[in-house]
Amino acid sequence: MLKVTELTPEQRDEIATYYKNPTERTTHHQRNPEIRNVVFILLESFLSAPIDLVVDGKEVTPFLNSLKRDSSVYYNGLMKSDIGCGESGDGQFIYMNGILPLRSKMTVGQVKNNTLPALPIILKKELGTKHSEIIFPTAPNLWQQADMNIAYGMTEAYSLEDIIASGTHQVDDQAIFSFASKSLDITKEPFFSLVLSVSTHCPYDTHLGEDLFGSNKSLPKEYKNYLNTCHYTDCQIQSYFDVLKQKGLYEHSLIIIVADHYAHLNLLNMKGQITDHTPLFIVNGQIDNKTACQTECHQLDVYTTILDILNINNEWKGLGHTLLSPHYQNSFSDEALRISEMIIEGNYFKN
């Protein structure tokens, strides 16, 4: 099933006509001249529901709440997941390329040898990024990750094996963000860093960190475990931010925090009680929150928005719509899916 389809000249023209729409993809945002680095934090199955949630007088995510309250930070808690059957691999693919995944096949299997317009590649070309790293908590070849790291243009890849070799007994979000903090000692600016968390992955029959919400009688056990672990992950993100500040990297880094996809509400026993929206935080983007999109948006929009924030004048800006525009329109459509399928199966970016 995994084969490259030769695109006709007409199909290539159709693809180019679709994505070359500057009014939807850029606002010609003035880039913050202090920004040299991009830090991309990809949280596992992290919903917006815990953000600003207080249970029994205790905040679930106090650090992320503080970011949301910061007027200089862009926050949108209404992001829809655009994944297909590939779940986490699909989420990573969308964010890195601004393309929707295949619906009926594992996208990473199809594109692992493709030429891709991946974010690290674009940043190297347009901003002179010297170092692109990914820190991921799985075996190197799970879900074709090793091949995808090459396709994305990563110069360094740290896997489960590297994190364990650093001296930890188990790989959880504390170990991951501690490893990411230490990697900053050898990272040369300007850099791109993609950090993947893991602790909020299903199943939710246990939790990490303090049991802050276990005594609550109104919530299902699985959801309380999830909230406890979200609190734990929130603490690890704060620690990582502290290290960025201590090393003088914070002010020079565009920081994006997103989820790879929604958490399955049926596994939390919360179906029909909360939504499957996920959060988006953008730090140091100099975004005007009065005009930026505050309505429901899509994973597909993040790639396009990052290029807009950095004022990167690359012909390819993804198939999303910039969230900086006060006239944002939904980017997810049957047409976007069809164009994405042609791009993927036709290896459109191959020279």
Side-chain angles (χ1 to χ4, degrees):
M1 293 175 66
L2 303 179
K3 61 181 180 179
V4 175
T5 302
E6 188 70 30
L7 294 170
T8 66
E10 292 76 19
Q11 287 175 315
R12 287 188 167 275
D13 288 344
E14 185 180 7
I15 292 169
T17 300
Y18 185 84
Y19 73 74
K20 290 179 182 178
N21 190 334
T23 59
E24 293 178 326
R25 316 221 189 270
T26 183
T27 63
H28 303 289
H29 181 77
Q30 185 171 358
R31 180 167 70 91
N32 179 354
E34 296 295 314
I35 296 301
R36 299 194 289 264
N37 315 306
V38 176
V39 176
F40 203 110
I41 299 174
L42 188 52
L43 301 177
E44 173 65 46
S45 307
F46 210 98
L47 296 171
S48 297
I51 309 296
D52 270 351
L53 180 64
V54 176
V55 178
D56 298 337
K58 297 180 281 287
E59 290 183 281
V60 177
T61 58
F63 177 68
L64 292 178
N65 294 351
S66 71
L67 288 183
K68 181 185 174 185
R69 291 192 297 267
D70 187 335
S71 61
S72 70
V73 174
Y74 173 76
Y75 172 76
N76 190 315
L78 298 174
M79 192 158 70
K80 295 290 291 182
S81 298
D82 297 333
I83 59 171
C85 59
E87 299 232 339
S88 295
D90 282 357
Q92 193 180 135
F93 174 78
I94 296 166
Y95 291 132
M96 289 300 101
N97 299 286
I99 305 169
L100 291 171
L102 301 173
R103 298 289 104 178
S104 58
K105 305 178 194 174
M106 294 296 290
T107 300
V108 294
Q110 177 73 44
V111 302
K112 65 180 182 178
N113 296 317
N114 280 16
T115 301
L116 296 174
L119 195 56
I121 296 172
I122 299 297
L123 294 178
K124 180 180 180 179
K125 175 185 174 184
E126 302 293 339
L127 290 186
T129 298
K130 297 178 180 178
H131 178 92
S132 295
E133 68 173 15
I134 178 172
I135 299 169
F136 59 102
T138 63
N141 290 311
L142 185 67
W143 302 120
Q144 313 284 346
Q145 188 66 61
D147 291 327
M148 293 308 299
N149 293 339
I150 295 171
Y152 293 152
M154 299 294 181
T155 57
E156 297 289 341
Y158 302 105
S159 70
L160 172 77
E161 297 170 359
D162 299 295
I163 298 170
I164 290 175
S166 70
T168 186
H169 296 294
Q170 62 180 12
V171 175
D172 53 24
D173 285 353
Q174 183 177 17
I176 292 165
F177 283 103
S178 176
F179 187 94
S181 296
K182 292 174 183 175
S183 78
L184 295 172
D185 293 331
I186 60 173
T187 301
K188 305 290 186 191
E189 294 186 273
F191 65 82
F192 172 83
S193 182
L194 174 59
V195 183
L196 279 62
S197 81
V198 70
S199 292
T200 43
H201 199 292
C202 64
Y204 304 113
D205 52 1
T206 186
H207 66 85
L208 289 177
E210 298 178 81
D211 187 4
L212 298 177
F213 313 112
S215 61
N216 184 279
K217 304 298 183 184
S218 63
L219 296 173
K221 175 186 175 183
E222 292 79 6
Y223 190 48
K224 288 187 289 186
N225 285 333
Y226 179 74
L227 295 179
N228 277 317
T229 305
C230 286
H231 180 85
Y232 167 83
T233 296
D234 181 77
C235 293
Q236 311 316 316
I237 299 170
Q238 181 175 16
S239 296
Y240 182 59
F241 267 61
D242 289 342
V243 173
L244 286 169
K245 292 175 181 178
Q246 291 164 10
K247 294 183 179 300
L249 298 171
Y250 178 82
E251 296 83 0
H252 303 297
S253 300
L254 178 68
I255 306 172
I256 299 97
I257 305 174
V258 289
D260 58 353
H261 53 75
Y262 50 74
H264 294 276
L265 303 187
N266 59 316
L267 299 180
L268 299 172
N269 282 324
M270 291 295 288
K271 195 168 185 178
Q273 299 181 63
I274 57 176
T275 72
D276 63 0
H277 289 115
T278 63
L280 166 63
F281 294 86
I282 301 178
V283 181
N284 294 333
Q286 291 191 338
I287 299 172
D288 186 349
N289 286 314
K290 294 179 181 178
T291 57
C293 173
Q294 303 297 333
T295 59
E296 188 174 86
C297 62
H298 285 264
Q299 285 182 304
L300 185 62
D301 302 317
V302 174
Y303 178 98
T304 303
T305 301
I306 292 172
L307 296 192
D308 195 13
I309 291 171
L310 296 174
N311 196 13
I312 290 178
N313 191 26
N314 192 66
E315 184 176 78
W316 171 260
K317 293 181 172 62
L319 300 181
H321 295 165
T322 178
L323 297 174
L324 306 190
S325 173
H327 309 296
Y328 170 82
Q329 297 291 324
N330 177 23
S331 61
F332 186 89
S333 65
D334 290 340
E335 186 70 354
L337 285 167
R338 189 176 69 82
I339 295 294
S340 293
E341 184 173 348
M342 283 199 292
I343 290 173
I344 292 170
E345 296 193 333
N347 196 4
Y348 174 77
F349 294 98
K350 183 179 179 180
N351 292 331

